[in-house]
Amino acid sequence: MSGPLRPRFWEDTPLTRMTRPEWEALCDGCGKCCMNKLEDEDTGEVVLTRVACRLFDDTTCRCAQYPIRHQFVPECIVLKPTNMDANLYWMPETCAYKLLWQGKKLYDWHPLISGDPQSVHDAGVSMQSRTIPEFEVDEDDWEDHIIEEPT
């Protein structure tokens, strides 16, 4: 990041006006967006699995190759204010980007509120130590790994 973040910037700055460091700081580090999801073709309902993207680090709950992830996972979505509407349906319910887009507040366990990046893990909201790498599970068996999203 380039310099300190403005105090409580997320409360008075629209997503469209945030600096790059502010936008990146919204990520709570839960790792849920890096889990493979299943979408019901009839209803459009999306469910979360514990089957992690091949680049997901189960210990840190971060992408192991974030700056160059598209070289390995071309379909990885770069979330930005201009594509939020198209992506809200699959984003985790606890995601700061989604919450702020919907005009809601961040949870107390969010690192921007708590001041501690460990708080998301301590709250039991993250995928830390709960995943299976996608290369270990056949895609036809992902249904066996559906989980309820922690809130």
Side-chain angles (χ1 to χ4, degrees), residues 47-139:
V47 292
L48 186 68
T49 74
R50 63 187 195 109
V51 181
C53 168
R54 61 188 159 277
L55 298 179
F56 185 70
D57 181 326
D58 187 71
T59 304
T60 65
C61 278
R62 299 287 181 170
C63 178
Q65 298 293 331
Y66 186 72
I68 58 170
R69 66 193 183 280
H70 290 104
Q71 292 177 22
F72 305 99
V73 184
E75 66 275 15
C76 183
I77 294 170
V78 176
L79 191 64
K80 43 192 166 185
T82 55
N83 68 9
M84 291 289 291
D85 280 334
N87 290 295
L88 281 179
Y89 77 98
W90 65 263
M91 292 169 58
E93 293 303 314
T94 57
C95 177
Y97 299 101
K98 186 172 187 173
L99 291 170
L100 294 177
W101 185 261
Q102 295 172 332
K104 298 177 182 175
K105 295 184 179 289
L106 299 182
Y107 289 97
D108 289 342
W109 49 256
H110 192 288
L112 286 172
I113 304 290
S114 70
D116 182 4
Q118 182 63 33
S119 60
V120 67
H121 310 303
D122 292 346
V125 181
S126 81
M127 295 304 297
Q128 189 176 53
S129 304
R130 300 176 57 207
T131 69
I132 299 172
E134 65 186 3
F135 54 80
E136 290 184 11
V137 182
D138 187 271
E139 194 169 341

